C-alpha cells in the first residue's frame, strides 16, 4: 500500500491564500484519485511541518527552497487546477 502523502500549502500568515491553494490542490487530487492529507500554514512553520511536498507562491519560493529538504512547488495562480496538475502531479506520482 502506498503511503499517504502530506502536502503543505504555505503563505505569509498561513490563512488566506494558502487556504485557497489547499482547496484547489484537494480538487486536483480528488480528480486524479490520489489520497493525500493537505494542510495549510505559514512560512515560519513550514520547515518543521513534516510535509512530503510544499506548495507556495513565487514570493516565498526562494525563502523556502533553501530551508527544507522536500520538493517545493511554486504556484503562480492558486485557483488554477491546470497549473497545479501540470506542476504537482509529476512530483506527487514519483512519491507514491
Amino acid at each position: 500500500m502506498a503511503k499517504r502523502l502530506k502536502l503543505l500549502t504555505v503563505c505569509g500568515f498561513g490563512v488566506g491564500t494558502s487556504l485557497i491553494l489547499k482547496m484547489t490542490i484537494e480538487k486536483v487530487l480528488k480528480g486524479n484519485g490520489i489520497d493525500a492529507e493537505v494542510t495549510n500554514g505559514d512560512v515560519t512553520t513550514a520547515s518543521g511541518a513534516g510535509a512530503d511536498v510544499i506548495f507556495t507562491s513565487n514570493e516565498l519560493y526562494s525563502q523556502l527552497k533553501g530551508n527544507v529538504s522536500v520538493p517545493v512547488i511554486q504556484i503562480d495562480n492558486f485557483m488554477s487546477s491546470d497549473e497545479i496538475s501540470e506542476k504537482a502531479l509529476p512530483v506527487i506520482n514519483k512519491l507514491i
Side-chain angles (χ1 to χ4, degrees):
M1 184 178 131
K3 77 170 192 164
R4 187 167 194 237
L5 292 179
K6 285 183 68 176
L7 310 179
L8 177 66
T9 62
V10 174
C11 68
F13 296 106
V15 283
T17 50
S18 63
L19 185 59
I20 293 167
L21 181 56
K22 173 184 187 276
M23 293 187 305
T24 309
I25 290 171
E26 287 173 335
K27 186 168 82 174
V28 169
L29 294 174
K30 186 176 182 180
N32 287 277
I34 298 169
D35 179 36
E37 176 187 350
V38 187
T39 56
N40 57 302
D42 65 84
V43 70
T44 56
T45 59
S47 59
D52 296 303
V53 182
I54 296 174
F55 296 84
T56 194
S57 64
N58 183 32
E59 296 79 25
L60 299 175
Y61 176 80
S62 57
Q63 186 178 342
L64 283 168
K65 187 77 179 141
N67 292 321
V68 296
S69 59
V70 300
V72 179
I73 300 175
Q74 176 184 316
I75 302 295
D76 298 311
N77 180 349
F78 285 12
M79 299 180 80
S80 171
S81 296
D82 289 341
E83 180 184 359
I84 291 167
S85 295
E86 181 184 310
K87 292 181 175 180
L89 291 178
V91 175
I92 290 169
N93 286 327
K94 274 189 211 164
L95 293 173
I96 52 177

